[in-house]
Amino acid sequence: MAITLNSGFKMPIIGLGVWRMEPQLVKDLILNSIKIGYRHFDCAADYKNEAEVGVALKEAFSTGLVKREDLFITTKLWNSDHGHVLEACKDSLKKLQLDYLDLYLVHFPVATRHTGVGTTDSALGEDGVLDIDTTISLETTWRAMEDLVSKGLVRSIGISNYDIFLTRDCLAYSKIKPAVNQIETHPYFQRDSLVKFCQKHGVCVTAHTPLGGAAANTEWFGTVSCLDDQVLKGLAEKYKKTPAQIALRWGIQRNTVVIPKSSKLERLKENFEVFDFELSKEDMELIKSMDKAYRTNQPAKFWGINLYA
């Protein structure tokens, strides 16, 4: 299954996110996921494993496991590179060993002090607060993103972690409309208004953290996972699936792209097995009632400032 973006290109509705994937595990995980059927991989400069992803992709292509045109590869512009978009994109392409990206996203709607292309540490001031660069507008960043399309380096461009207001602004000033807005959304954080706004205006929504971050976000941010909720557990029993499969199927039936992350082969398989059943309208409504407006990915922990406040 795939969603046709406003750029005309097709984006597989399920992908594999490589955030927090240990570099030494990346190669085997990507090659195994391709064998399972994954054709969409979600990367970012900030994940610090683009080079390892590139090694895996090169092997997949050279051995005939898959062709480049069969894959959909996303990566993202880090906050400190808003004033160096072309250089940052080329750096990611070099690490990924690719000639073009299927999708390039503005990772967060904030420019921070430049620390050098390829370095993605969060630049903090002496006060321990994120050092935001107030001289670079998001429109300036977007113009540079549009140039990447005209140069043939990127097929589609998009945004990430943008709210309704910032998305509306981007739609207003863009010559090339954002194809995607990648946001945190899961049964505990449904963001129905933002999802509806984007879809109404032809912007595909990709759900990062579609399972609520599970154990990883509990460890990093002290948050709880929707997968432990009795509603999902009950539906899992009803459909003879796992709570994770129920959450992913719910995301797909909302017409959002889902990019779960896992470093376990059995979970990779499990997360991909969501096309052989369909949630009823009543059960979709039941999951809708789970919404707690509960964000689990909280970068304020690292930035000393809450950009969502």
Side-chain angles (χ1 to χ4, degrees), residues 2 16 45 50 58 71 94 123-125 190 193 195 211 271:
L16 178 64
E50 284 179 317
K58 183 179 180 181
L71 296 187
K94 182 179 179 181
L124 304 181
Q190 299 187 18
S193 296
V195 171
L211 303 177
N271 290 342

Side-chain angles (χ1 to χ4, degrees), residues 273-285:
E273 293 170 351
V274 290
F275 300 110
D276 58 350
F277 75 106
E278 186 170 331
L279 296 170
S280 69
K281 184 178 179 182
E282 292 75 21
D283 289 336
M284 288 292 289
E285 286 298 314

Side-chain angles (χ1 to χ4, degrees), residues 248-296:
L248 293 173
R249 184 68 208 183
W250 169 80
I252 288 170
Q253 287 182 218
R254 293 176 91 202
N255 291 318
T256 62
V257 172
V258 292
I259 48 170
K261 174 259 175 185
S262 181
S263 295
K264 297 178 180 177
L265 185 59
E266 62 271 22
R267 289 277 171 79
L268 287 174
K269 292 177 180 175
E270 176 189 304
N271 290 342
F272 202 72
E273 293 170 351
V274 290
F275 300 110
D276 58 350
F277 75 106
E278 186 170 331
L279 296 170
S280 69
K281 184 178 179 182
E282 292 75 21
D283 289 336
M284 288 292 289
E285 286 298 314
L286 181 60
I287 295 174
K288 190 173 183 178
S289 72
M290 291 174 59
D291 193 13
K292 299 178 184 296
Y294 181 70
R295 184 187 299 277
T296 66

Side-chain angles (χ1 to χ4, degrees), residues 79-110:
N79 305 337
S80 56
D81 286 332
H82 278 228
H84 303 266
V85 173
L86 177 60
E87 301 96 313
C89 180
K90 286 183 174 179
D91 185 66
S92 286
L93 283 168
K94 182 179 179 181
K95 289 174 179 171
L96 291 166
Q97 301 190 49
L98 298 175
D99 295 324
Y100 69 90
L101 295 169
D102 294 281
L103 178 64
Y104 197 45
L105 302 176
V106 179
H107 202 151
F108 282 94
V110 62

